[in-house]
Amino acid sequence: VSYLLPEDKVLVSDRLDEVRVTLKGSWRRLRKFDEREIDRINLDLRHASSGEISIASDMIHLPSGVTVSSINPRSVHVAFDRRVDKVVEVTPATTGRPQHGYRVAEVKSVPATIKLRGGEGMLAALTAIRTREISLEGRNESFTAETEIVSPEGVEVAGDARVAVRIRIEEELEARKLPGLTVVPRGEGDPSRWKITPAQVDVALTGAVLAIEKARSSLVPIVKLTPDLKPHEVEVTIDGLPSDIGVKISPERVKLVPLKQAPVPPPPRTP
């Protein structure tokens, strides 16, 4: 069954796609009859109102010698709504996740809006429409993808249904805390002659996830020793940390206290 609709209306009732037809004729005619010879039933609804539309025998064109005995169903219910246009936002749909250490910074449709055409009641509830899904799986660079609008049943795109979606992917940033790292003395003098107070510090790193993961395996807070054996405070630093990683050490300074050395015993007397 095909429908011929008025230009200013849309059909909002369920469509009847097929009807069951019983045919009557001679055995010879029916035996040779091929159902593919039956044309589609055309329902002209251009001047119809909502309600029941009868399906009459004269709507079914049959070869000579074959007539319609019965039609089931004999009618179809139709309901109309006013056809309108509406501009709505395009919401790009994505699936999957970027590569570890990267994140989606922006997803933008070009154009950002699109004109839809359909029944007034259906479009009244629509403020945005989605696209087909775009995979982000394993991505680590920005890219642009072409895709199509997915329209709900009874709604069509007034024009080109294809849009471009620009997806910006960038390195993922994080702040990571590394508590209780032991401070290591380096520099002039014997490290065993010094006591560091406190002996451990907390380190907070900010930067790209991958850079932090690479740096943390070799990260060591240090203090530099000097020949001066008096108690004093020194700054805690971290060598070899990339410049693009921010670091905060707490406490920033520790105290170096020289340890008392055991007295050296006098040499034994000779008789």
Tab-separated table of all heavy atoms in Angstrom, residues 231-257:
chain	number	residue	atom	x	y	z
A	231	PRO	N	74.601	22.469	62.287
A	231	PRO	CA	73.189	22.261	61.924
A	231	PRO	C	72.684	23.418	61.060
A	231	PRO	O	72.954	24.580	61.351
A	231	PRO	CB	72.477	22.219	63.268
A	231	PRO	CG	73.539	21.869	64.257
A	231	PRO	CD	74.799	22.487	63.743
A	232	HIS	N	71.957	23.098	60.019
A	232	HIS	CA	71.404	24.141	59.150
A	232	HIS	C	70.257	23.553	58.319
A	232	HIS	O	70.114	22.326	58.199
A	232	HIS	CB	72.484	24.725	58.233
A	232	HIS	CG	73.105	23.719	57.313
A	232	HIS	ND1	74.011	22.787	57.739
A	232	HIS	CD2	72.944	23.523	55.977
A	232	HIS	CE1	74.408	22.033	56.720
A	232	HIS	NE2	73.760	22.458	55.628
A	233	GLU	N	69.447	24.480	57.769
A	233	GLU	CA	68.332	24.072	56.908
A	233	GLU	C	68.751	24.131	55.449
A	233	GLU	O	69.510	25.019	55.051
A	233	GLU	CB	67.110	24.967	57.134
A	233	GLU	CG	66.376	24.682	58.429
A	233	GLU	CD	65.032	25.399	58.487
A	233	GLU	OE1	64.792	26.260	57.620
A	233	GLU	OE2	64.237	25.083	59.377
A	234	VAL	N	68.249	23.175	54.659
A	234	VAL	CA	68.554	23.159	53.226
A	234	VAL	C	67.251	22.912	52.454
A	234	VAL	O	66.286	22.339	52.978
A	234	VAL	CB	69.575	22.062	52.869
A	234	VAL	CG1	70.941	22.389	53.434
A	234	VAL	CG2	69.103	20.712	53.360
A	235	GLU	N	67.268	23.347	51.215
A	235	GLU	CA	66.101	23.169	50.335
A	235	GLU	C	66.087	21.767	49.742
A	235	GLU	O	67.132	21.226	49.358
A	235	GLU	CB	66.138	24.201	49.207
A	235	GLU	CG	64.933	24.140	48.285
A	235	GLU	CD	65.020	25.151	47.158
A	235	GLU	OE1	66.090	25.779	47.005
A	235	GLU	OE2	64.024	25.303	46.425
A	236	VAL	N	64.892	21.185	49.676
A	236	VAL	CA	64.723	19.876	49.046
A	236	VAL	C	64.429	20.099	47.565
A	236	VAL	O	63.552	20.900	47.210
A	236	VAL	CB	63.578	19.078	49.693
A	236	VAL	CG1	63.436	17.702	49.038
A	236	VAL	CG2	63.804	18.932	51.191
A	237	THR	N	65.145	19.417	46.694
A	237	THR	CA	64.940	19.548	45.244
A	237	THR	C	64.764	18.165	44.627
A	237	THR	O	64.992	17.130	45.276
A	237	THR	CB	66.113	20.266	44.575
A	237	THR	OG1	67.312	19.501	44.794
A	237	THR	CG2	66.294	21.664	45.140
A	238	ILE	N	64.360	18.179	43.349
A	238	ILE	CA	64.226	16.925	42.598
A	238	ILE	C	64.962	17.101	41.280
A	238	ILE	O	64.600	17.969	40.469
A	238	ILE	CB	62.747	16.567	42.361
A	238	ILE	CG1	62.047	16.314	43.698
A	238	ILE	CG2	62.639	15.336	41.466
A	238	ILE	CD1	60.571	16.056	43.593
A	239	ASP	N	65.981	16.324	41.058
A	239	ASP	CA	66.767	16.422	39.832
A	239	ASP	C	66.094	15.681	38.680
A	239	ASP	O	65.420	14.655	38.881
A	239	ASP	CB	68.171	15.838	40.050
A	239	ASP	CG	69.079	16.802	40.805
A	239	ASP	OD1	68.683	17.974	40.960
A	239	ASP	OD2	70.151	16.365	41.253
A	240	GLY	N	66.308	16.202	37.488
A	240	GLY	CA	65.873	15.495	36.284
A	240	GLY	C	64.389	15.537	35.992
A	240	GLY	O	63.901	14.806	35.125
A	241	LEU	N	63.622	16.369	36.689
A	241	LEU	CA	62.189	16.451	36.437
A	241	LEU	C	61.933	17.342	35.225
A	241	LEU	O	62.460	18.458	35.152
A	241	LEU	CB	61.476	17.023	37.664
A	241	LEU	CG	59.966	16.782	37.758
A	241	LEU	CD1	59.671	15.300	37.892
A	241	LEU	CD2	59.387	17.545	38.941
A	242	PRO	N	61.145	16.882	34.225
A	242	PRO	CA	60.886	17.699	33.033
A	242	PRO	C	60.264	19.040	33.396
A	242	PRO	O	59.507	19.157	34.360
A	242	PRO	CB	59.908	16.842	32.217
A	242	PRO	CG	60.140	15.439	32.689
A	242	PRO	CD	60.508	15.559	34.131
A	243	SER	N	60.567	20.042	32.588
A	243	SER	CA	60.093	21.399	32.881
A	243	SER	C	58.585	21.541	32.752
A	243	SER	O	58.001	22.475	33.306
A	243	SER	CB	60.789	22.398	31.945
A	243	SER	OG	60.509	22.084	30.589
A	244	ASP	N	57.933	20.630	32.004
A	244	ASP	CA	56.487	20.742	31.826
A	244	ASP	C	55.699	20.077	32.953
A	244	ASP	O	54.469	19.993	32.893
A	244	ASP	CB	56.060	20.161	30.476
A	244	ASP	CG	56.487	18.704	30.309
A	244	ASP	OD1	57.267	18.208	31.138
A	244	ASP	OD2	56.042	18.072	29.343
A	245	ILE	N	56.388	19.592	33.972
A	245	ILE	CA	55.709	19.012	35.135
A	245	ILE	C	55.882	19.954	36.312
A	245	ILE	O	57.013	20.296	36.688
A	245	ILE	CB	56.274	17.622	35.478
A	245	ILE	CG1	55.989	16.636	34.344
A	245	ILE	CG2	55.668	17.111	36.782
A	245	ILE	CD1	56.503	15.239	34.614
A	246	GLY	N	54.773	20.366	36.879
A	246	GLY	CA	54.826	21.201	38.073
A	246	GLY	C	55.056	20.351	39.309
A	246	GLY	O	54.576	19.216	39.395
A	247	VAL	N	55.796	20.881	40.286
A	247	VAL	CA	56.094	20.102	41.480
A	247	VAL	C	55.956	20.982	42.719
A	247	VAL	O	56.318	22.160	42.702
A	247	VAL	CB	57.523	19.498	41.402
A	247	VAL	CG1	58.578	20.582	41.266
A	247	VAL	CG2	57.807	18.622	42.619
A	248	LYS	N	55.422	20.385	43.781
A	248	LYS	CA	55.352	21.041	45.083
A	248	LYS	C	55.820	20.050	46.130
A	248	LYS	O	55.307	18.929	46.208
A	248	LYS	CB	53.924	21.506	45.386
A	248	LYS	CG	53.817	22.262	46.698
A	248	LYS	CD	52.401	22.783	46.925
A	248	LYS	CE	52.323	23.555	48.243
A	248	LYS	NZ	50.960	24.068	48.497
A	249	ILE	N	56.809	20.479	46.939
A	249	ILE	CA	57.389	19.605	47.953
A	249	ILE	C	56.996	20.129	49.332
A	249	ILE	O	57.080	21.329	49.596
A	249	ILE	CB	58.921	19.561	47.820
A	249	ILE	CG1	59.320	19.113	46.404
A	249	ILE	CG2	59.541	18.641	48.858
A	249	ILE	CD1	60.792	19.231	46.113
A	250	SER	N	56.571	19.229	50.202
A	250	SER	CA	56.156	19.631	51.551
A	250	SER	C	56.766	18.682	52.583
A	250	SER	O	56.519	17.465	52.528
A	250	SER	CB	54.634	19.624	51.651
A	250	SER	OG	54.215	19.993	52.941
A	251	PRO	N	57.599	19.211	53.512
A	251	PRO	CA	58.037	20.611	53.600
A	251	PRO	C	59.088	20.919	52.528
A	251	PRO	O	59.747	20.031	52.012
A	251	PRO	CB	58.639	20.694	55.005
A	251	PRO	CG	59.125	19.294	55.271
A	251	PRO	CD	58.148	18.387	54.605
A	252	GLU	N	59.228	22.198	52.212
A	252	GLU	CA	60.168	22.599	51.185
A	252	GLU	C	61.615	22.560	51.667
A	252	GLU	O	62.540	22.440	50.851
A	252	GLU	CB	59.834	24.006	50.689
A	252	GLU	CG	58.466	24.110	50.028
A	252	GLU	CD	58.150	25.513	49.562
A	252	GLU	OE1	58.915	26.433	49.931
A	252	GLU	OE2	57.161	25.685	48.834
A	253	ARG	N	61.792	22.669	52.993
A	253	ARG	CA	63.147	22.669	53.562
A	253	ARG	C	63.211	21.658	54.706
A	253	ARG	O	62.212	21.426	55.403
A	253	ARG	CB	63.533	24.061	54.062
A	253	ARG	CG	63.488	25.125	52.975
A	253	ARG	CD	63.815	26.506	53.544
A	253	ARG	NE	65.228	26.609	53.944
A	253	ARG	CZ	66.208	26.916	53.100
A	253	ARG	NH1	65.954	27.166	51.813
A	253	ARG	NH2	67.459	27.008	53.530
A	254	VAL	N	64.372	21.045	54.861
A	254	VAL	CA	64.578	20.114	55.966
A	254	VAL	C	65.838	20.538	56.720
A	254	VAL	O	66.642	21.348	56.237
A	254	VAL	CB	64.730	18.663	55.461
A	254	VAL	CG1	63.445	18.173	54.841
A	254	VAL	CG2	65.887	18.537	54.488
A	255	LYS	N	66.023	19.976	57.895
A	255	LYS	CA	67.175	20.341	58.731
A	255	LYS	C	68.235	19.248	58.669
A	255	LYS	O	67.916	18.053	58.785
A	255	LYS	CB	66.718	20.562	60.169
A	255	LYS	CG	67.783	21.197	61.057
A	255	LYS	CD	67.187	21.571	62.404
A	255	LYS	CE	68.231	22.292	63.273
A	255	LYS	NZ	67.666	22.692	64.577
A	256	LEU	N	69.460	19.683	58.458
A	256	LEU	CA	70.606	18.774	58.497
A	256	LEU	C	71.315	18.929	59.845
A	256	LEU	O	71.711	20.036	60.223
A	256	LEU	CB	71.582	19.089	57.367
A	256	LEU	CG	71.159	18.651	55.950
A	256	LEU	CD1	72.219	19.079	54.945
A	256	LEU	CD2	70.954	17.151	55.875
A	257	VAL	N	71.432	17.837	60.572
A	257	VAL	CA	72.097	17.848	61.884
A	257	VAL	C	73.256	16.858	61.830
A	257	VAL	O	73.047	15.666	61.539
A	257	VAL	CB	71.124	17.456	63.011
A	257	VAL	CG1	71.842	17.455	64.355
A	257	VAL	CG2	69.929	18.395	63.025
